[in-house]
Amino acid sequence: EVSINGQESKDVIFSLNLNDFTTQTLVANSEVYGQSVSEFVNIKVYQKPIVYLDNVKYPEEISYSKDFEFSFHLSSQTPVYNIRVKVNNNEYSSIDYLSETQKIVLPLKSSYLLNNNIDLNINYEDENGKKYKTIEDFSIYILDVPWYAKILYLIKRLFV
C-alpha cells in the first residue's frame, strides 16, 4: 500500500511471476476524497526467443579450391526479427521476420576457412527490439592448401 498526498508522485516497483502467462491484467485501486477509483493495466508477457538450428549439412572435408554449400534449418517458437547470419564475421544472409522453420543455404568458399572452422553467428531481435545472439561452431577440414595460402593466413592472423 502506498499513500500519496496532493501533487506528490512516487515510483512503485514490484515484481510479478509471469512465467505462465501471455497477458496479465493489473488492477490499481485508489481512493480520492473517499471515492474509490480503479484502473486496469494490461501487460503483454513476451517469451524469450530462442533460435534453433537443425538439419545442418556441409562436407566434412573439401579441397581449398572448391566452393560448397552450408545449409541448415532455422526455426523459432516465437517471432523473431532482423535476423543476420554471419560466417567467420562475414554477413551472408538476412531475414526480416521468422516465425516458423526456414531453410538457409549459404554458398561458401573453402579458401576463406583456413582455420578449419565455420563460426556461425545468428543475431536477431524480439518484438520489443531486444537483441539476442546464437553462436555455433562447426569443424571442416580444408585439403590441398597451397603453401602461399598458409603463409598469407599466418600473416593475417598476426594483425587480427
Side-chain angles (χ1 to χ4, degrees):
E1 186 171 309
V2 177
S3 295
I4 300 175
N5 297 320
Q7 297 293 330
E8 182 182 4
S9 68
K10 286 188 181 179
D11 291 332
V12 179
I13 299 173
F14 53 94
S15 63
L16 299 171
N17 183 4
L18 301 173
N19 291 334
D20 299 326
F21 298 98
T22 56
T23 59
Q24 179 71 32
T25 302
L26 297 179
V27 180
N29 294 315
S30 62
E31 188 174 309
V32 180
Y33 301 115
Q35 291 200 349
S36 182
V37 178
S38 296
E39 184 70 33
F40 297 91
V41 180
N42 291 320
I43 299 174
K44 183 172 183 180
V45 180
Y46 293 96
Q47 292 181 346
K48 180 179 177 181
I50 299 173
V51 170
Y52 300 97
L53 267 72
D54 64 355
N55 204 23
V56 178
K57 294 183 181 174
Y58 67 99
E60 291 182 15
E61 58 182 42
I62 191 163
S63 176
Y64 172 84
S65 60
K66 301 284 183 187
D67 297 342
F68 67 98
E69 288 185 348
F70 182 83
S71 67
F72 55 92
H73 289 158
L74 191 63
S75 61
S76 177
Q77 292 182 347
T78 58
V80 292
Y81 301 86
N82 302 322
I83 301 101
R84 302 286 180 256
V85 179
K86 292 183 177 182
V87 175
N88 295 0
N89 290 323
N90 296 309
E91 189 166 322
Y92 276 87
S93 182
S94 63
I95 304 166
D96 292 332
Y97 174 78
L98 177 72
S99 64
E100 17 182 86
T101 301
Q102 183 168 342
K103 183 176 182 178
I104 309 289
V105 178
L106 305 176
L108 299 180
K109 295 184 176 294
S110 58
S111 59
Y112 293 169
L113 303 172
L114 292 181
N115 63 349
N116 293 322
N117 206 33
I118 299 171
D119 296 320
L120 185 66
N121 289 316
I122 301 172
N123 298 293
Y124 55 97
E125 299 175 6
D126 66 10
E127 292 181 73
N128 287 328
K130 185 173 180 184
K131 297 179 185 311
Y132 297 88
K133 181 187 279 191
T134 297
I135 300 172
E136 296 282 340
D137 292 322
F138 302 92
S139 295
I140 185 168
Y141 186 69
I142 308 300
L143 304 168
D144 307 320
V145 179
W147 63 270
Y148 60 85
K150 291 178 184 178
I151 292 173
L152 289 173
Y153 175 71
L154 291 174
I155 292 171
K156 181 181 174 185
R157 286 192 53 189
L158 291 173
F159 298 102
V160 176

